[in-house]
Amino acid sequence: MRLRVAPGGPAALKVLAAAGAAAAPVRLVWGDPSERPLASPSAPWLPALELDSGTVLFSPNAICQFFFLARGEEPTDLTNQWLEWEATELQKGLEALEPLGQLLEHIEQDLSSRGTAYLAGDTQSVADVVVWGALFPVLQDETGLPSELPALRTWFQNMTLSEACRKAAGSVLMPEALLEFKSYLQKHPPPCLATGRATSNAPEAQPGAGTGHRGAGGHGHADPHWDQPSPQGDGPERALSEEEIAAAVAAWARGAAALPGPWKPQQPVLPVHGRRNVLITSALPYVNNVPHLGNIIGCVLSADTFARYCRLRNWNTLYVCGTDEYGTATETKAMEEGLTPQEICDKYNAIHADIYRWFDISFDYFGRTTTPHQTRIAQDIFQRLLARGFLLQDTVEQLRCEGCQRFLADRFVEGTCPFCNYEEARGDQCDKCGKLINAVELKNPQCKLCGGVPVVKTTQHLFLDLPKLQERLEPWLEQSLATGDWTANARYITRSWIRDGLKPRCITRDLKWGTPVPLDGFQDKVFYVWFDAPIGYLSITANYTEQWERWWKNPQQVELYNFMAKDNVPFHSVIFPCSLLGADDNYTLVNHLIATEYLNYEDGKFSKSRGVGVFGDMAKDTGIPADIWRFYLLSVRPEGQDSAFSWGDLMLKNNSELLNNLGNFINRAGMFVCKFFGGVVPDMVLTPDDERLLARVTLELRQYHQLLERVRIRDALRCILSISRHGNQYIQVNEPWKRIKGDEKDRQRAGTVTGVAVNVASALAVMLQPYMPSVSVAIQGQLRIPPERFILSRDFTCTLPAGHRVGTVSPLFQKLENDQVEALRKRFGGGQPEDLAVKPQAKQTHPAPAALVAPGDPQLIQELTEKVAEQGNYVRQLKANKAEKAEVDTEVAKLLELKKQLLQAEGKSPEVPVPKGKRKK
């Protein structure tokens, strides 16, 4: 077999060839990068591996995997995870400095935490070769860096790698057999890194009017005029081919005729034969709390942005969501607020709906799970699973409170952790050591409802037989992973569950608030929320239309996108699909599972109890418009790793990217039409400069489509900002405000530049619609873009021809001042007046001295029991949110005092046991 690579090409392939990774001899052939490979004139460019059978492989990643498979080394799940990470995150990160540093840190942390020399275990795997081979050009001596990139040289000189990272790289890149390649490769420059394209969540340099444009990691020469490196040192853009420029000019000339015809779906929206039918869900938010910014970007806002894009593409799209209202969390919240579970659901469903309405989330229907449709559909799926033998019965040991006459859900029990002896562990998890707990394992368990001591009793429960369903799950899962757009974390989490082996999963609970179990002997039980909640997508759609089955029992015509944070993945990729596969009723299963990482707040976490972070109902009180919130959250969307909300970054992005870049360009383009041409778009006579701009905008527009089709929402936003940077520089270089004062030729040039610029602004208005719908509508109104031309095309066309009259143009954005932002930072930074609804016990007066408590008073015992439970909840909240030690100690002292009073009221010794580890000697 022959491996053909270009000089300076993928190092991973040379590593393999040098190290003899292939089972059969392989001949390394140097090729010309401009040459089509081997005997396949229509194939992609180098590299290429021609097998003896005549088959040709082109991807470096695939070629490396082939070599390892050829010598009998099957990739593990962890190996596959690294290969996916390299293909998605690392390759993207090689375009810019900031994300590259973050990606190296990710590798370092992983190696250090596991203490291994290799990425996927104790021995070298294909993951090591692929990852370190991709990084080889940037890990070699800084002398290998091209001299025209001084900023890059300095950055690499200052970059430090951990010992673990250096050893891991060296073990793969520096074997003796590779030394000959090392000297050769160092004679060739590494891929050009675009220092100007920010692909991280770090603040970008403020571009200023008409400066700064994105490097594309390209090659070739810079165009001589506006298409040149910016003053800030950005690398040159990829050279445009004559074919690309000609195609862009032809598309421009076709004008509105090149746009797809507008299409409006019927109401209610139902699948249409022959169209792309897209069904979008975002994870149902729990009804027991107010969503914070991290919740909003992780689910509803991300899904909304994609839904708006789908509609702009004329795809037949339905977007549904609603509140998840059953379960222990709702019962607990009802107790805290002194309301019934139904009252809690009604209250918080309205709060959620108001928040999403303000954020301009374009649900086709926002519902809830406490409906008759939910009961009917959930019970039908249950009955079908039961009839097909996919449910098991088993006896479970569970805590029962005889005083309350009920089995206690995990959240209704607290006691001493069996692992770390923390005295206020919950029945499901210890907040101190973080370990999961079975409630019956707790020492000194206590009922949180009445303070009584529960006893262990057996009870019957029903289990979903996941091991039996696995043979149905795996073929479907492999097909969905192969054909759908699943995020890397969704793939890894799902495969981890499969790798660890599926176990029967309990689907019933001893609660009152939930969907009843329709089976003799289980009438006092309800469905567990994670069996029940995803069925809410179906029941909410059923509340939207009686023909809901055309969406949910139609996998042949419907594509399903699920949006969520990563902690919800296994329920949507394993448990829910198993339920639907087992029900065997032609259900629509997820094709694309989109999971985000977590959004943190400044240097910590969101905390309602501590007043830390912005919650949905607070955002509108900041005076910052909803579209600014949308833009910022989408620009820091945690797509590949956790990100953080930062007030300073919000101010910077608003003032630089929106005000000085995007808003500046659109305002200038519209104002020039009004000021110089009486509000009428002038005639345009294109020059080579203009044609290159058309091609640049077309390339960015195509990239925008490619990214959004793969649901890379944050990255696609950068294409919009890049276009406006190109537009600003185009205006700045051509100076229409000067040319309009010149001779006829200059005035014609000013007209062309103004006409082209206002058409770029028109295209940006449409591209912005998924991200900033109100701003998009404002631009449409100012430029008077006809509705039939307000269409998203794959080509940049002239939608505002000569003679088109624009409207009144005004600024789109306002500057955020530093003192305004500092006031908001302080307001949402914690330490604010305590929220009485969340922690009423913090405002109560100190309990009376224990000596005044009379024993045996039932009413007093009940009152003290409730106060102990309330104070215990508050202390747990503080500890879980990592409050200051002094604050925790103060509240713990109050709790101990209340417990003393309760013991005395019960006629017991008021001596409270000293916490574990602090006993007096």
Side-chain angles (χ1 to χ4, degrees):
M1 65 183 77
R2 290 189 300 161
L3 173 62
R4 177 170 292 194
V5 296
L13 303 182
K14 296 154 194 162
V15 172
L16 282 171
V26 58
R27 185 160 60 92
L28 190 65
V29 181
W30 300 106
D32 184 342
S34 63
E35 176 190 349
R36 294 279 182 187
L38 310 176
S40 182
S42 62
W45 308 99
L46 301 179
L49 174 67
E50 184 180 31
L51 306 181
D52 294 338
S53 63
T55 301
V56 181
L57 301 179
F58 302 106
S59 160
N61 194 312
I63 294 170
C64 292
Q65 291 185 67
F66 171 82
F67 282 160
F68 269 76
L69 288 170
R71 69 178 192 183
E73 296 188 18
E74 291 287 339
T76 65
D77 287 332
L78 189 54
T79 302
N80 286 328
Q81 180 202 3
W82 279 110
L83 292 174
E84 290 169 4
W85 179 84
E86 185 273 339
T88 56
E89 301 303 323
L90 181 57
Q91 288 299 327
K92 178 187 69 176
L94 287 172
E95 296 179 2
L97 298 181
E98 284 292 341
L100 181 57
Q102 294 171 2
L103 293 166
L104 285 170
E105 288 176 7
H106 171 75
I107 299 174
E108 291 180 17
Q109 291 170 3
D110 185 85
L111 289 169
S112 299
S113 64
R114 290 189 292 107
T116 62
Y118 300 103
L119 295 174
D122 297 326
T123 58
Q124 180 177 307
S125 71
V126 64
D128 297 281
V129 173
V130 168
V131 171
W132 296 117
L135 284 168
F136 183 86
V138 298
L139 295 178
Q140 60 181 312
D141 286 344
E142 56 90 20
T143 54
L145 292 170
S147 59
E148 65 269 18
L149 292 176
L152 189 60
R153 291 168 65 92
T154 301
W155 187 84
F156 279 122
Q157 286 172 338
N158 295 333
M159 183 181 70
T160 58
L161 295 178
S162 71
E163 189 64 22
C165 200
R166 288 188 180 279
K167 286 183 178 178
S171 67
V172 176
L173 296 178
M174 302 304 166
E176 292 183 4
L178 185 62
L179 291 179
E180 59 181 291
F181 287 107
K182 180 178 186 295
S183 60
Y184 181 89
L185 289 171
Q186 286 180 331
K187 297 176 184 178
H188 296 271
C192 175
L193 298 183
T195 60
R197 181 165 194 171
T199 55
S200 73
N201 297 322
E204 297 182 46
Q206 184 168 331
T211 63
H213 62 276
R214 186 190 65 185
H219 46 272
H221 64 277
D223 293 326
H225 298 296
W226 62 270
D227 188 25
Q228 57 186 327
S230 76
Q232 290 147 322
D234 290 1
E237 294 282 354
R238 176 177 72 78
L240 294 165
S241 69
E242 293 300 323
E243 291 81 4
E244 288 172 327
I245 295 173
V249 173
W252 165 270
R254 288 194 295 271
L259 297 173
W263 179 77
K264 291 289 184 183
Q266 62 183 8
Q267 294 297 324
V269 182
L270 295 171
V272 177
H273 182 72
R275 281 199 174 270
R276 184 173 180 180
N277 300 295
V278 178
L279 176 58
I280 299 173
T281 72
S282 54
L284 306 182
Y286 271 134
V287 80
N288 69 321
N289 57 26
V290 177
H292 57 63
L293 297 180
N295 303 138
I296 291 168
I297 184 58
C299 298
V300 296
L301 179 53
S302 294
D304 175 69
T305 305
F306 183 68
R308 289 177 176 275
Y309 171 74
C310 292
R311 297 183 188 115
L312 282 175
R313 293 294 304 275
N314 282 343
W315 298 342
N316 190 43
T317 305
L318 179 69
Y319 175 24
V320 296
C321 188
T323 43
D324 177 10
E325 301 189 349
Y326 282 135
T328 311
T330 304
E331 284 197 7
T332 305
K333 190 66 173 179
M335 285 194 307
E336 289 178 7
E337 297 196 15
L339 300 173
T340 66
Q342 186 62 62
E343 289 171 337
I344 282 290
C345 293
D346 294 342
K347 172 184 175 180
Y348 282 92
N349 175 269
I351 291 173
H352 277 261
D354 286 343
I355 290 169
Y356 304 139
R357 192 177 300 114
W358 187 80
F359 274 95
D360 214 350
I361 307 298
S362 62
F363 302 118
D364 289 287
Y365 189 78
F366 184 77
R368 54 200 306 183
T369 56
T370 51
T371 66
H373 280 300
Q374 175 74 11
T375 301
R376 179 176 60 81
I377 297 172
Q379 290 184 345
D380 177 66
I381 291 173
F382 167 80
Q383 295 284 17
R384 296 180 69 88
L385 288 167
L386 184 66
R388 285 158 180 75
F390 293 120
L391 296 180
L392 304 172
Q393 288 190 34
D394 201 359
T395 300
V396 176
E397 288 191 334
Q398 198 168 340
L399 293 175
R400 178 179 174 84
C401 178
E402 298 300 341
C404 297
Q405 287 294 298
R406 63 185 291 175
F407 283 97
L408 298 176
D410 296 340
R411 296 191 185 205
F412 292 153
V413 185
E414 67 176 20
T416 301
C417 175
F419 301 104
C420 71
N421 290 325
Y422 176 58
E423 291 193 335
E424 293 168 10
R426 301 197 314 266
D428 58 348
Q429 188 173 8
C430 175
D431 288 333
K432 183 177 180 181
C433 69
K435 291 188 177 180
L436 298 177
I437 299 172
N438 187 329
V440 297
E441 298 173 342
L442 286 172
K443 303 174 185 177
N444 307 316
Q446 186 178 48
C447 172
K448 289 176 60 177
L449 302 176
C450 71
V453 178
V455 295
V456 177
K457 291 203 171 182
T458 58
T459 178
Q460 286 285 324
H461 277 288
L462 295 166
F463 291 76
L464 184 64
D465 193 348
L466 293 179
K468 190 173 181 180
L469 285 160
Q470 189 163 344
E471 63 183 24
R472 297 192 179 198
L473 175 71
E474 288 186 331
W476 163 79
L477 187 59
E478 287 308 311
Q479 181 184 19
S480 185
L481 288 170
T483 59
D485 287 313
W486 288 52
T487 53
N489 55 1
R491 292 171 181 268
Y492 174 65
I493 292 169
T494 302
R495 284 176 170 154
S496 295
W497 269 57
I498 302 296
R499 179 194 64 215
D500 295 342
L502 298 181
K503 301 174 180 61
R505 185 88 178 184
C506 188
I507 64 168
T508 55
R509 286 292 187 268
D510 287 294
L511 291 173
K512 301 183 185 300
W513 188 246
T515 302
V517 178
L519 186 65
D520 289 345
F522 291 86
Q523 290 88 344
D524 59 342
K525 303 181 192 298
V526 299
F527 289 129
Y528 175 41
V529 68
W530 271 116
F531 171 78
D532 190 58
I535 297 173
Y537 302 134
L538 284 63
S539 70
I540 288 168
T541 310
N543 278 281
Y544 168 68
T545 172
E546 293 180 354
Q547 301 181 68
W548 65 274
E549 291 184 349
R550 290 178 59 182
W551 284 107
W552 284 103
K553 295 185 180 181
N554 190 5
Q556 296 78 19
Q557 287 190 323
V558 173
E559 281 184 77
L560 174 57
Y561 286 80
N562 287 162
F563 285 78
M564 68 202 66
K566 65 180 179 181
D567 55 335
N568 288 340
V569 166
F571 304 103
H572 289 79
S573 65
V574 176
I575 297 175
F576 186 42
C578 276
S579 299
L580 298 182
L581 287 166
D584 194 21
D585 203 14
N586 196 39
Y587 278 106
T588 302
L589 301 175
V590 62
N591 303 97
H592 316 276
L593 203 157
I594 314 300
T596 62
E597 300 292 319
Y598 297 132
L599 179 73
N600 297 314
Y601 181 79
E602 294 281 349
D603 296 326
K605 296 181 179 180
F606 290 86
S607 171
K608 186 77 169 180
S609 63
R610 293 167 55 206
V612 175
V614 181
F615 286 72
D617 55 348
M618 304 171 181
K620 61 183 176 183
D621 298 329
T622 62
I624 299 174
D627 267 19
I628 306 302
W629 285 109
R630 287 177 62 108
F631 167 81
Y632 181 70
L633 291 173
L634 291 164
S635 73
V636 297
R637 182 174 183 261
E639 292 190 353
Q641 59 191 30
D642 290 356
S643 61
F645 172 91
S646 162
W647 285 107
D649 191 31
L650 170 63
M651 180 176 70
L652 181 66
K653 282 187 166 62
N654 178 82
N655 294 347
S656 63
E657 292 292 13
L658 291 182
L659 186 64
N660 291 344
N661 176 16
L662 181 65
N664 178 63
F665 169 69
I666 293 172
N667 187 254
R668 293 171 93 190
M671 286 298 295
F672 290 161
V673 177
C674 296
K675 184 176 180 179
F676 302 146
F677 301 98
V680 177
V681 176
D683 290 331
M684 291 163 273
V685 180
L686 300 182
T687 68
D689 263 7
D690 308 317
E691 293 175 349
R692 280 192 292 270
L693 176 64
L694 303 186
R696 287 286 174 215
V697 173
T698 298
L699 287 179
E700 292 290 351
L701 179 59
R702 294 286 177 88
Q703 179 75 354
Y704 169 90
H705 280 291
Q706 290 172 10
L707 290 167
L708 278 178
E709 285 170 359
R710 295 168 51 213
V711 205
R712 300 291 287 273
I713 296 171
R714 183 190 63 197
D715 293 343
L717 178 56
R718 297 193 182 101
C719 297
I720 296 174
L721 300 175
S722 182
I723 289 175
S724 63
R725 288 192 191 99
H726 283 306
N728 270 317
Q729 187 136 0
Y730 172 73
I731 289 175
Q732 203 72 9
V733 167
N734 285 283
E735 300 178 321
W737 62 90
K738 291 183 180 179
R739 292 180 181 269
I740 195 67
K741 301 174 184 177
D743 57 20
E744 181 62 29
K745 183 178 179 181
D746 277 345
R747 288 196 298 273
Q748 183 187 72
R749 183 67 190 145
T752 297
V753 172
T754 299
V756 170
V758 79
N759 271 279
V760 173
S762 176
L764 287 172
V766 185
M767 295 173 71
L768 268 174
Q769 202 273 343
Y771 295 89
M772 307 178 77
S774 295
V775 170
S776 173
V777 169
I779 301 170
Q780 182 184 13
Q782 291 184 18
L783 301 184
R784 291 182 178 170
I785 306 171
E788 67 273 11
R789 298 181 202 164
F790 197 74
I791 300 293
L792 185 61
S793 171
R794 296 190 70 86
D795 294 308
F796 174 44
T797 63
C798 180
T799 56
L800 304 182
H804 173 83
R805 179 171 292 277
V806 303
T808 302
V809 178
S810 58
L812 296 167
F813 306 108
Q814 292 185 341
K815 185 178 181 180
L816 285 175
E817 300 293 346
N818 188 63
D819 56 352
Q820 176 188 2
V821 169
E822 285 303 313
L824 290 169
R825 188 200 308 275
K826 182 177 179 181
R827 174 181 167 189
F828 295 103
Q832 301 302 308
E834 293 163 338
D835 183 350
L836 295 179
V838 175
K839 47 182 184 181
Q841 67 283 357
K843 286 295 185 182
Q844 67 192 18
T845 58
H846 285 282
L852 300 179
V853 176
D857 184 343
Q859 183 176 354
L860 180 60
I861 292 173
Q862 181 63 31
E863 290 176 359
L864 288 171
T865 298
E866 292 175 357
K867 289 180 179 179
V868 167
E870 288 176 349
Q871 186 68 9
N873 282 335
Y874 180 41
V875 169
R876 276 193 300 276
Q877 285 179 349
L878 291 176
K879 292 179 177 179
N881 292 321
K882 299 181 179 178
E884 294 293 332
K885 184 177 184 299
E887 183 182 5
V888 174
D889 290 345
T890 298
E891 299 305 326
V892 168
K894 293 179 184 179
L895 177 61
L896 294 175
E897 183 64 32
L898 285 167
K899 287 185 174 181
K900 286 182 182 180
Q901 292 186 35
L902 177 59
L903 287 170
Q904 188 171 10
E906 293 173 339
K908 301 175 183 177
S909 170
E911 181 68 28
V912 178
V914 178
K916 300 284 186 181
K918 296 183 180 180
R919 293 189 180 277
K920 297 178 182 178
K921 296 183 179 178

